[in-house]
Amino acid sequence: AFRLKKSSIDHEEVKETDVSVAEHKKLNSVLLFSQYVSYFERGMYLRFLRTNRIAVDATAYLVAGLIIGMIFNDVLLLGVTPSVLYGRNCPGNSDSQCFFPNDFVAARRFGFYNAMALGIVAVSTGTVTFAGQRKLLFWRDASAGASPSAYFFGELTCDMVTVWISSLVYTSIVQLMVPLRGPFLLYWLLWTMSVFVIHGLSYIMAIGILEMGNATIAGVIMSIVLTMFEGFIDLLGNIGAWCYTLWLGRAASNIELLQGYSVETSIPQICRDNPDLTGEDGCYQNQDGETVSFYDFLVGEPHSSPNLAIDFVLLLFFGVLLRSIACLLIHTLNTDKRR
């Protein structure tokens, strides 16, 4: 069995009179880093050599990608540019399709279904990191004086490696089966960031709930509920700014419609000066009668006013926030089982 390396420095041999306060801090940091490296090595060993976890995770993402691919592989809107179908910013001589771009509803569905699929798969695979036998190993190590921080961040680092690999599998299948126009690398980054956030949620469930089965079920239910706030369902999406799924859905629309199609995001000055102009003149109004851009007319609330940088920054923020909560829990819960 793979075991943590014993430190060459014995705590009991370090007396208060032998070293200064600064040296004590330096010694503790060295011991902490040594534990972190050991946990990282053990985590990678368990994931890639001792067990088939990496293969199981990749297979789960492969199946999820296949499902998304089968749902969207015949969505023709993703293969025809608006500049060809509608004309740039919908000029007045375009046909009736210009005023009823129902095809673009699929861009919102695409984000919704991906948020749902990734939520279910990422929670199921991420819960294993801090649940089941892994939790028992941690309690055993902690009872001997191992650092919860070293264990937590060592496992996080291992998980980031598997997240990149699994999301690569998912992105490859989706890009292969769905006629997307957005760049592969941007989608890979988006799905990686999404899994990064969802894993943070799974860590909280795994650490906070003793039984791994119950933690997985709770995490899956939570991810499904949170997907309702992605924005596809207007009633919930309009109050979902606090939820990671909203920003995931916004980013999906941004990548496909901005990077892939270059849909117009600005309002022509003539439309601002003449609010009585309609779609026949290339000017659009939302349901409230407000003049909006062609992009906002197609996508609408709550994914309007696109800004991909903000979407990614907020996904990163949610991922860090959830990990911070999980780190706090691992330091405070079940301390009686580490004695």
Side-chain angles (χ1 to χ4, degrees):
F2 192 92
R3 298 181 181 276
L4 287 175
K5 297 176 182 177
K6 289 189 65 178
S7 173
S8 59
I9 304 175
D10 191 340
H11 277 288
E12 295 181 0
E13 294 180 359
V14 180
K15 298 181 180 179
E16 213 171 300
T17 56
D18 294 335
V19 294
S20 65
V21 174
E23 290 172 325
H24 265 301
K25 292 181 179 179
K26 182 178 180 181
L27 173 62
N28 289 334
S29 65
V30 170
L31 293 173
L32 185 65
F33 181 74
S34 176
Q35 290 183 47
Y36 162 79
V37 171
S38 295
Y39 275 119
F40 173 73
E41 291 177 349
R42 184 175 76 179
M44 296 299 288
Y45 173 77
L46 290 174
R47 284 167 172 79
F48 288 90
L49 297 177
R50 183 70 179 274
T51 68
N52 60 351
R53 179 182 171 183
I54 186 62
V56 172
D57 287 3
T59 303
Y61 283 90
L62 173 66
V63 172
L66 287 172
I67 294 174
I68 295 296
M70 288 187 288
I71 294 174
F72 288 95
N73 81 317
D74 60 346
V75 180
L76 299 180
L77 87 102
L78 299 175
V80 182
T81 62
S83 59
V84 174
L85 184 58
Y86 303 113
R88 186 63 174 175
N89 203 32
C90 192
N93 59 357
S94 294
D95 59 27
S96 60
Q97 290 185 84
C98 172
F99 313 114
F100 302 95
N102 295 327
D103 288 342
F104 280 90
V105 174
R108 298 177 65 189
R109 283 196 297 119
F110 183 67
F112 178 82
Y113 278 87
N114 276 280
M116 180 76 74
L118 286 173
I120 294 173
V121 174
V123 163
S124 301
T125 57
T127 304
V128 181
T129 302
F130 293 106
Q133 292 185 344
R134 309 298 293 275
K135 184 178 293 187
L136 298 178
L137 285 174
F138 166 64
W139 288 345
R140 183 199 67 185
D141 295 340
S143 66
S147 167
S149 295
Y151 167 72
F152 183 77
F153 288 103
E155 290 291 343
L156 286 192
T157 309
C158 294
D159 253 16
M160 281 308 305
V161 176
T162 60
V163 164
W164 281 105
I165 295 174
S166 299
S167 60
L168 177 61
V169 172
Y170 181 84
T171 308
S172 301
I173 295 299
V174 172
Q175 293 282 126
L176 180 66
M177 297 184 66
V178 182
L180 296 168
R181 299 182 65 89
F184 177 90
L185 289 179
L186 267 182
Y187 272 117
W188 184 21
L189 180 60
L190 173 59
W191 305 141
T192 300
M193 292 291 292
S194 302
V195 176
F196 174 75
V197 177
I198 299 164
H199 267 210
L201 175 64
S202 72
Y203 300 156
I204 293 175
M205 296 299 172
I207 296 170
I209 301 175
L210 288 177
E211 295 291 336
M212 184 170 72
N214 293 337
T216 303
I217 293 172
V220 169
I221 293 174
M222 180 64 72
S223 69
I224 293 174
V225 171
L226 293 178
T227 302
M228 300 297 107
F229 295 90
E230 182 272 340
F232 183 65
I233 303 175
D234 293 330
L235 179 62
L236 297 177
N238 288 326
I239 58 173
W242 55 271
C243 185
Y244 75 89
T245 56
L246 176 71
W247 305 100
L248 187 163
R250 281 176 55 91
S253 295
N254 286 350
I255 292 174
E256 191 59 20
L257 298 183
L258 293 184
Q259 305 294 326
Y261 293 98
S262 298
V263 176
E264 184 61 58
T265 60
S266 61
I267 303 174
Q269 189 60 43
I270 188 174
C271 300
R272 297 180 185 274
D273 297 337
N274 300 276
D276 57 320
L277 296 179
T278 65
E280 295 182 356
D281 308 297
C283 300
Y284 307 93
Q285 288 81 34
N286 59 19
Q287 295 178 346
D288 298 326
E290 300 171 335
T291 301
V292 295
S293 69
F294 186 42
Y295 180 95
D296 288 353
F297 176 67
L298 294 176
V299 179
E301 293 286 352
H303 293 169
S304 59
S305 304
N307 191 320
L308 192 58
I310 291 179
D311 298 336
F312 278 118
V313 167
L314 284 171
L315 285 174
L316 177 62
F317 167 77
F318 283 118
V320 172
L321 176 63
L322 291 172
R323 279 163 174 72
S324 299
I325 296 173
C327 185
L328 176 64
L329 292 178
I330 205 169
H331 280 83
T332 56
L333 294 183
N334 302 312
T335 54
D336 58 317
K337 300 183 183 298
R338 311 175 199 173
R339 299 171 182 173

